[in-house]
Amino acid sequence: ATALSVGLVWFFFVPPQLSWEIRDPQMIVSLVIFSGTGLLFALMHEKLKAANAALQDRVVRRTEELQSSRESTQHSEDRFTKVFHSNPAPICITTIKEGRFIEVNERYCQLFDLTREELIGRTSVELRLWADPAVRTAVMNRLENEGLGRCD
């Protein structure tokens, strides 16, 4: 690229009568500056190409890592869902503070004779699943105080 730049400069800017003879020192300075600039651009271009290739490799590797992680997470979620829903014990996932149902398995629905749709999004107090809501409050306080649960 640099040799081509010098050749083009010579062809377009050096008058034909001078051929390879340059008498004006200012012309030499201009030619050196132009050639040096061309060389710098060529070097920077090569460095930028190398940096771009390295970045592209990093993007490809990171994309592959993320895909692998996504597949692993999906596999774990699938296993959890299978275990949760096929478990013969009644299981529910609720928020601790409110007791709002996030997920329930079929056995839990059968235990309270409610459908999944009737449970999800509602609270255990709202559905009157606790004979005395104060007992639920006491149980949740105990869980929080003894470090057996998180109250988020």
Side-chain angles (χ1 to χ4, degrees), residues 96 130 135-145 151:
I96 292 178
W130 289 88
V135 173
R136 182 196 182 280
T137 303
V139 168
M140 294 304 118
N141 286 338
R142 183 173 177 201
L143 285 174
E144 184 175 13
N145 293 335
C151 291

Side-chain angles (χ1 to χ4, degrees), residues 57-109:
D57 289 345
R58 286 180 61 194
V59 167
V60 167
R61 274 195 316 274
R62 185 67 179 131
T63 301
E64 290 169 353
E65 290 169 4
L66 289 172
Q67 181 63 29
S68 175
S69 176
R70 185 177 301 127
E71 290 169 1
S72 177
T73 300
Q74 185 62 48
H75 180 69
S76 293
E77 287 176 3
D78 291 346
R79 284 189 326 194
F80 172 80
T81 299
K82 286 177 186 173
V83 168
F84 183 86
H85 288 289
S86 65
N87 198 314
I91 305 173
C92 69
I93 300 173
T94 65
T95 61
I96 292 178
K97 284 194 177 194
E98 297 177 301
R100 188 169 306 279
F101 290 98
I102 297 170
E103 189 61 80
V104 295
N105 69 357
E106 184 59 34
R107 183 66 186 112
Y108 194 87
C109 294

Side-chain angles (χ1 to χ4, degrees), residues 13-26:
F13 295 105
V14 176
Q17 70 270 16
L18 291 179
S19 76
W20 292 100
E21 235 179 88
I22 299 176
R23 294 188 183 126
D24 184 6
Q26 196 172 23

